[in-house]
Amino acid sequence: MSEAGERIAKFLARAGVASRRDAEVMVAEKRIKLNNVLVAHPATFVAEGDIVTVDGNPVGVQRERTRLFKYHKPDGLVVTHKDPQGRPTVFEKLPPGLPRVVSVGRLDLNSEGLLLLTNDGALARQLELPANAWIRRYRVRAFGDLSPAAIAELAKGITVEGVKYGPIEAGLDSRKGDNIWLTMALKEGKNRRSEEHTSELQSPMFISY
C-alpha cells in the first residue's frame, strides 16, 4: 500500500468483499462508509488505520488466507451478488459456512458448469485477465442444423451484431431431433448486453466440463 493508501474498490477486492467492479457499484448504491463517512466516489483512498464498513458491517483488518472454491453452477441462477430483477443468484444458494466470495468470470443464466469462486478479489481479477488466454471448453446445445462449413468458419472468428469474437474450435458431437450438440473451445469471454442476446447458434446452453 502506498503512503496515500489504496482505492476503496481495490481495498475491498483485497479483503474479499467484492470484485473491483462490484465494489464500485456498491459505492454508487451508498453502501460503503470510510471512518463513518459515506463514500461518494470510487477514487476514495483508504489509508492504514482507516475503518471501512459495508452495509454497517466493518471490513476485517486481518485478511483471511486466499481460498479458491470449485462450484457446479446449475442453470437458472444469475452470477451476481444482487440482481435488480429479483432472480435467484449463485451466492444465495451457496452452502452455509463459506466466507464472502466473488466469482472468477461469469456463466449466463441458462448455463451450467464449473464456476470458480474465491475470497480474494485481487486473485479473481488476475485470473480473469484476457492476456492469460486460457482455454475454456463447453458443450453447447443449439436448435436447428449447422453445416460442417459453418463450423469450420468459427475457427476464423465471427462477428455477431457488430461484435467480433476470436477463433473458436468446434466439433459436432451428435444430433437428436431438432437439437445438435457441439464441443467448443475458446480463449476469450465477452459480457453480453442482456440474457436475451442471441448468436448464430441461437441461444445455446453452455455446459462446461
Side-chain angles (χ1 to χ4, degrees):
M1 185 184 296
S2 67
E3 292 183 4
E6 59 186 353
R7 289 176 181 262
I8 187 73
K10 182 178 180 181
F11 174 85
L12 293 173
R14 281 169 45 83
V17 172
S19 67
R20 293 190 191 186
R21 178 175 55 191
D22 287 341
E24 290 174 355
V25 173
M26 293 164 72
V27 169
E29 294 174 342
K30 304 183 186 303
R31 298 172 56 191
I32 301 172
K33 289 185 177 181
L34 175 63
N35 297 326
N36 209 32
V37 177
L38 196 66
V39 175
H41 197 280
T44 300
F45 281 81
V46 180
E48 187 174 354
D50 284 342
I51 299 175
V52 178
T53 59
V54 177
D55 297 331
N57 301 311
V59 176
V61 177
Q62 296 296 326
R63 294 178 58 202
E64 293 186 14
R65 65 182 177 88
T66 295
R67 302 174 68 185
L68 190 66
F69 302 88
K70 293 188 295 184
Y71 174 75
H72 182 90
K73 175 196 172 299
D75 61 3
L77 297 182
V78 184
V79 185
T80 183
H81 282 276
K82 185 178 180 181
D83 182 56
Q85 299 181 38
R87 295 170 295 184
T89 73
V90 162
F91 301 99
E92 294 170 349
K93 303 298 182 181
L94 293 177
L98 287 182
R100 167 83 179 192
V101 293
V102 296
S103 65
V104 179
R106 300 174 187 247
L107 288 175
D108 292 338
L109 173 69
N110 294 324
S111 301
E112 65 175 279
L114 175 65
L115 184 66
L116 295 179
L117 306 171
T118 178
N119 64 335
D120 189 330
L123 174 63
R125 181 176 176 83
Q126 181 65 32
L127 293 176
E128 290 172 345
L129 289 176
N132 292 327
W134 287 333
I135 296 175
R136 303 168 174 88
R137 286 190 171 85
Y138 302 90
R139 288 205 69 216
V140 180
R141 184 180 70 189
F143 178 79
D145 195 12
L146 198 62
S147 68
I151 294 176
E153 282 295 310
L154 294 175
K156 303 176 182 177
I158 59 174
T159 299
V160 181
E161 296 184 0
V163 179
K164 183 172 178 57
Y165 295 84
I168 300 172
E169 296 179 14
L172 179 62
D173 296 335
S174 63
R175 287 188 173 89
K176 186 175 181 180
D178 291 327
N179 292 291
I180 59 174
W181 283 91
L182 305 99
T183 296
M184 289 187 164
L186 55 150
K187 294 183 179 180
E188 70 169 347
K190 289 189 187 309
N191 288 331
R192 296 212 214 167
R193 283 165 291 187
S194 74
E195 294 291 354
E196 289 74 31
H197 176 81
T198 57
S199 70
E200 293 179 357
L201 295 179
Q202 300 191 18
S203 299
M205 178 179 70
F206 294 102
I207 305 177
S208 63
Y209 68 99

